[in-house]
Amino acid sequence: MRRLGYPSFWLLLLAMAFCLGMLSAHERWPVYGVFVERILVQFDGRKGVSEFARRHYAQRRSLFAELPAEADLVLIGDSLTAQGEWQELLPDLSVHNRGIGFDTAEGVAARLTSICDGRYRIAALAVGINDLIYNIPVSKTR
């Protein structure tokens, strides 16, 4: 029997990671399914946001209302933005992270006015992945 060489091992590991990712993306992996079930609930054939997500969203919005609104850069978006260590990645700029997990394009649009009232030199917007997860039609996000 032939031993797996170093490159073969990494290719096998990469293939396994890809398969696990595909299974989890389709909510067929049980561990991921339990997590998704806690966050998302089914109603009217669409995925909606759970009470946990609603509370989280409200808490983050109220926190942002109390924080100062002056920086070089403001980052606006969903959990992909919220989870970034942007100040560490951009040490030469003062950065305000205004990302909220579970947010959609509609939610970000509703927050833009309050965020844009601040004094920021640059604003970066990253949103849309949750619209895909929640199956929100593109026509509703325009």
Side-chain angles (χ1 to χ4, degrees):
M1 186 165 120
R2 189 174 156 234
R3 282 182 57 198
L4 285 177
Y6 189 72
S8 299
F9 169 77
W10 289 110
L11 281 173
L12 179 63
L13 189 62
L14 182 64
M16 288 173 48
F18 176 78
C19 290
L20 284 175
M22 291 304 293
L23 288 171
S24 64
H26 294 291
E27 301 175 25
R28 292 186 185 135
W29 188 37
V31 174
Y32 183 80
V34 169
F35 173 74
V36 168
E37 201 169 297
R38 288 185 63 196
I39 303 302
L40 304 175
V41 292
Q42 290 284 341
F43 64 94
D44 296 332
R46 291 186 2 233
K47 290 181 181 174
V49 182
S50 70
E51 187 56 35
F52 168 79
R54 282 185 180 79
R55 281 194 316 269
H56 171 73
Y57 188 85
Q59 288 169 349
R60 296 289 288 176
R61 281 198 73 165
S62 65
L63 172 67
F64 295 156
E66 299 298 319
L67 293 174
E70 186 171 343
D72 294 326
L73 172 65
V74 62
L75 298 162
I76 310 157
D78 52 30
S79 61
L80 298 176
T81 303
Q83 294 174 7
E85 299 296 338
W86 302 110
Q87 191 61 62
E88 290 180 25
L89 293 168
L90 304 165
D92 296 335
L93 297 172
S94 62
V95 180
H96 286 178
N97 186 343
R98 297 299 182 254
I100 300 179
F102 312 104
D103 210 352
T104 61
E106 184 179 16
V108 168
R111 295 190 296 126
L112 277 178
T113 304
S114 63
I115 293 170
C116 291
D117 285 344
R119 295 184 194 146
Y120 300 106
R121 287 185 337 144
I122 305 165
L125 181 67
V127 69
I129 193 67
N130 291 331
D131 294 74
L132 294 172
I133 292 170
Y134 303 144
N135 202 22
I136 298 172
V138 174
S139 60
K140 188 174 179 186
T141 62
R142 290 185 182 191

